Amino acid sequence: MRNEFTANSDHWVDYGNWLISTRDDVEPLGTVTLGLDVVVSRFMWVEDERVETTIRAEYDDKAGQYTDLGWWIETPENPDYQAEIRDKAARNAADELQEFRRKFIDTEDGDDHRIPDKQYRSDIAGRYASYLRFGPDSKHILELLVGEIDNTSQ
């Protein structure tokens, strides 16, 4: 998951800046640090495997755009936001990130980036909503990429 994201960080930064410049409902968060715990349950009698990671997005206030994005396997110090990805969502995250990038971020033949349609958002939410945990005010980070997610049933 981290490798897919890191290897294509320029694409993700470009997509974020495209969202800011083309969507009236998207406001940049500025430079932010997200603590993302990746958790995989092994067996009921064995403790979950947890890896703490840090995602940092650098924002240039003067230019009004994101400039850099990094993801490290380390415990974040005072993250602005906290989230957790578990089990099925964690195991499938690399493939899902790659598919998202190919469908909506990468451009071919001059085509612009795209916003995921409602069907795609519903499919993703149906498959993974119960495997995602968000700290206070953290949910909207994911929503910047895929649109509104309703996980109130958790």
Side-chain angles (χ1 to χ4, degrees), residues 14-65:
D14 187 49
Y15 186 70
N17 288 329
W18 174 79
L19 287 170
I20 293 166
S21 68
T22 60
R23 303 276 308 220
D24 292 335
D25 59 339
V26 174
E27 291 291 325
L29 299 173
T31 297
V32 295
T33 300
L34 169 67
L36 179 64
D37 292 348
V38 181
V39 181
V40 178
S41 301
R42 296 294 177 199
F43 303 102
M44 291 176 58
W45 58 88
V46 177
E47 189 173 325
D48 293 346
E49 181 180 337
R50 175 180 298 272
V51 177
E52 294 180 353
T53 70
T54 300
I55 300 172
R56 182 155 177 88
E58 298 287 338
Y59 186 77
D60 182 337
D61 289 317
K62 290 181 182 177
Q65 63 182 12

Side-chain angles (χ1 to χ4, degrees), residues 2 13 56 62-63 80 84 93 101-102 105:
R2 182 181 152 268
V13 168
R56 182 155 177 88
K62 290 181 182 177
D80 300 300
E84 179 181 280
R101 180 179 48 81
R102 288 180 175 164
I105 295 176

Side-chain angles (χ1 to χ4, degrees), residues 103-115:
K103 280 185 174 180
F104 303 107
I105 295 176
D106 289 347
T107 57
E108 295 179 12
D109 303 324
D111 290 343
D112 214 344
H113 303 300
R114 297 181 334 172
I115 301 291

